[in-house]
C-alpha cells in the first residue's frame, strides 16, 4: 500500500472535525477551485468538495485556449476584452509549465479577409498593451503556407498571424486544487454534497458523503458557494422550501464538440483559425500535446449528462469545415478521440424571489439568495480568477464573509510553476514543471506505459500513476487517464488498452480495489462517432 491511502485517510479525518469554516465551496471546476484558492490566500478557513473528480465536467473539455476574446472585440465589448487580456497574463505567469503563448494564423481565401481581420487584430494588440504576447503580422501566401503546412494552398490570398495562448485545462485545475490544499484548505474529490444545513432560514453548511466509504459528514460554514457549473440548479433545489413553487432553471446548457486527429494533418506549431464558417461559427485547428484539436460546436442541449455524446450533425460540421481548409481532409476513421463539454450558459432572469443581490454579466452570473447561498455559474476559463474575486466580493458585501483585501492571486505561482517546453509537444515530464525531479524519484520512472506513436516521446510512465495517487488525489482510472494524463483526450483506444494496468497501479497505491470497467466503456464512447 502506498502513501495515497494515508493521504485520503487524513483528508477524511479532517472532514469529520467539528470546526466551522468561513467558506465551503461545492464544485471542483475552474470557478469553484478559483474561489477556494482566492479565499485561502486571503487567510480564510476554506473547504471544497467535488462529487466526481476535479475538472471532471466542463473544465476539462475546453478548446484548450487561454484567450483575450477576439470575438468580443468585434462585438464592441472593450471592457470584457481588457479583463480577459489581464487574466490571460495572470494565468501564463502563475503556471508557465501548463499555460503558454501560442501563435495563430487566419488564412485568407477571399481577397478582403487578410486586410479586414488584420486591422481588427492590430486593435487587439493595442488593447493588450504591455501584456501583448507578440505583434500581429500580415502574411503573404507563401509565408502563410510555410506557417500552416497543412492548410489548403488553392485559393489562398495570404493570412494574418496573431498571438494568444493555450493550456492544459485539467492539469491547471488540479494545480489550483493542490495549491489551495498546500495553503491549508480542505479539498476533497469524490465527495458529493447531498444536502444543505439550514438554521433560521439561513444556509449554514453542507452535508457531504464520501463516495468510497459512504460515510457522511457535516461541514459547517458562515458562507456556502454553489459553483457546480451546469449542475448549479440541483444544488439550488436543496435550498428551496419544498412547499414553494419550483424556481426557473438558471442554466441553459450548450455543448461543444471537439475531434482529435494526428499532428500530420496540421504539422508545425501554429494554430489555424477560421473566424467565420459556413454557418457563421468559428473553427479552430489547434496543436496540443502532440495531436491536433478540431472544433468547436455550440449546440443547445436539454439534458445534463455527465458524459454527453455528440450529435451526428456536429461531427459532420467539423469534418466538413476542416475539409474546406486542410490540404488533407480528415475522415471519420482518422479521429483518435471525440469529447463533448457542456457550457453553463445563463438564462435571462427576472427576479425569481430568490435574490436580494444579483450581478449578471454577459460572461458569468452571481446570485446571493435570501438564505445566503451564493450561486455562481457561466463565464469562461480565462476569467476564472476574476470571477472568483467577484464571488467573494458579493459574499463580503452581504456580510457572509469578513472583509479581506483582494488581489492575492494575481501573482500567485501554482505548484510546480516553472518555464517548460511547449504544450504543442507530446506529453511528458515537462508538464510537471519543477516537480519533475520528485516524479523521477518514484518507482517506475523509466517504465513507459505509453509513448507518442508519431514521435516516440515518452507520454505516460508508471511513476506518473504513482505521483497522481500520492500527490494529486487520483482515485479512479479516469482520474488518471482523463485528467492527470490526458491520454483519453488524445487517443481513446490507447487509453482503454491501459485501463487494467493503471487500475492495478492505483490499487497498489491506494490499498483499495479499483475497477477499470467503467473507464473502458468511457474510452469506447470517446472513440465512437455517431
Amino acid at each position: 500500500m502506498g502513501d495515497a491511502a494515508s493521504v485520503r485517510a487524513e483528508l477524511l479525518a479532517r472532514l469529520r472535525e467539528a470546526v466551522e469554516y468561513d467558506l465551503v465551496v461545492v464544485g471542483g471546476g475552474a470557478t469553484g477551485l478559483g474561489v477556494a484558492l482566492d479565499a485561502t490566500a486571503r487567510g480564510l478557513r476554506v473547504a471544497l468538495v467535488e462529487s466526481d473528480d476535479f475538472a471532471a465536467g466542463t473544465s476539462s473539455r475546453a478548446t484548450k485556449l487561454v484567450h483575450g476574446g477576439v470575438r468580443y472585440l468585434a462585438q464592441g465589448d472593450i471592457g470584457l476584452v481588457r479583463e480577459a487580456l489581464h487574466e490571460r497574463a495572470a494565468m501564463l505567469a502563475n503556471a508557465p509549465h501548463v499555460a503558454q503563448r501560442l501563435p495563430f494564423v487566419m488564412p485568407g481565401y477571399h481577397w478582403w479577409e487578410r486586410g479586414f481581420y488584420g486591422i481588427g487584430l492590430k486593435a487587439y494588440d493595442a488593447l493588450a498593451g504591455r501584456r501583448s504576447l507578440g505583434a500581429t503580422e500580415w502574411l503573404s501566401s507563401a509565408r502563410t503556407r510555410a506557417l500552416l503546412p497543412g492548410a489548403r494552398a488553392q485559393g489562398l490570398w495570404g493570412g494574418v498571424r496573431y498571438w494568444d495562448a493555450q493550456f492544459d485545462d485539467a492539469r491547471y485545475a488540479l494545480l489550483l486544487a493542490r495549491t489551495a490544499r498546500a495553503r491549508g484548505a480542505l479539498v476533497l474529490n469524490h465527495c458529493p454534497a447531498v444536502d444543505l444545513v439550514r438554521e433560521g432560514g439561513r444556509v449554514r453548511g453542507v452535508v457531504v458523503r464520501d463516495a468510497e466509504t459512504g460515510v457522511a459528514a457535516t461541514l459547517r460554514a458562515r458562507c456556502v458557494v454553489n459553483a457546480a457549473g451546469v449542475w448549479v440548479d440541483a444544488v439550488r433545489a436543496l435550498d428551496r422550501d419544498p412547499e414553494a413553487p419550483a424556481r426557473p432553471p438558471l442554466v441553459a446548457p450548450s455543448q461543444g464538440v471537439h475531434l482529435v486527429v494526428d499532428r500530420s494533418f496540421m504539422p508545425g506549431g501554429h494554430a489555424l483559425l477560421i473566424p467565420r464558417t459556413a454557418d457563421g461559427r468559428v473553427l479552430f485547428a489547434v496543436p496540443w500535446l502532440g495531436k491536433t484539436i478540431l472544433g468547436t460546436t455550440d449546440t443547445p442541449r436539454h439534458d445534463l449528462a455527465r458524459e454527453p455524446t455528440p450529435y451526428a450533425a456536429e461531427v459532420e460540421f467539423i469534418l466538413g469545415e476542416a475539409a474546406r481548409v486542410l490540404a488533407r481532409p480528415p475522415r471519420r476513421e482518422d479521429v483518435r478521440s471525440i469529447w463533448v463539454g457542456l457550457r453553463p450558459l445563463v438564462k435571462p432572469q427576472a427576479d425569481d424571489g430568490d435574490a436580494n443581490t444579483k450581478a449578471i454579466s454577459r460572461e458569468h452570473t452571481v446570485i446571493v439568495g435570501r438564505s445566503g447561498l451564493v450561486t455562481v455559474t457561466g463565464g469562461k476559463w480565462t476569467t476564472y480568477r476574476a470571477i472568483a474575486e467577484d464571488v467573494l466580493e458579493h459574499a463580503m458585501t452581504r456580510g457572509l464573509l469578513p472583509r479581506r483585501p483582494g488581489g492575492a492571486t494575481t501573482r500567485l505561482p501554482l505548484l510546480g510553476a516553472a518555464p517548460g517546453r511547449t504544450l504543442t509537444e507530446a506529453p511528458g515530464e515537462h508538464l510537471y514543471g519543477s516537480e519533475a525531479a520528485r516524479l523521477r524519484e518514484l518507482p517506475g520512472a523509466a517504465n513507459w506505459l505509453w509513448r507518442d506513436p508519431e514521435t516516440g516521446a515518452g507520454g505516460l510512465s508508471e511513476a506518473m500513476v504513482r505521483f497522481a495517487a500520492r500527490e494529486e488525489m487520483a482515485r479512479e482510472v479516469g482520474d488518471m487517464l482523463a485528467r492527470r494524463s490526458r491520454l483519453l483526450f488524445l487517443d481513446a483506444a490507447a487509453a482503454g488498452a491501459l485501463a487494467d494496468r493503471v487500475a492495478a497501479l492505483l490499487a497498489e497505491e491506494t490499498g483499495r480495489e479499483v475497477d477499470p470497467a467503467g473507464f473502458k466503456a468511457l474510452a469506447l464512447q470517446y472513440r465512437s462517432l455517431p
Side-chain angles (χ1 to χ4, degrees), residues 114-131:
R114 179 174 172 270
F116 178 78
Y117 291 119
I119 291 171
L121 289 167
K122 284 289 186 181
Y124 191 55
D125 287 352
L127 281 174
R130 61 183 176 82
R131 302 186 186 94

Side-chain angles (χ1 to χ4, degrees), residues 4-20:
S6 59
V7 169
R8 184 73 180 187
E10 177 187 344
L11 290 172
L12 292 177
R14 286 189 62 188
L15 191 70
R16 294 189 292 268
E17 290 177 353
V19 299
E20 181 175 60

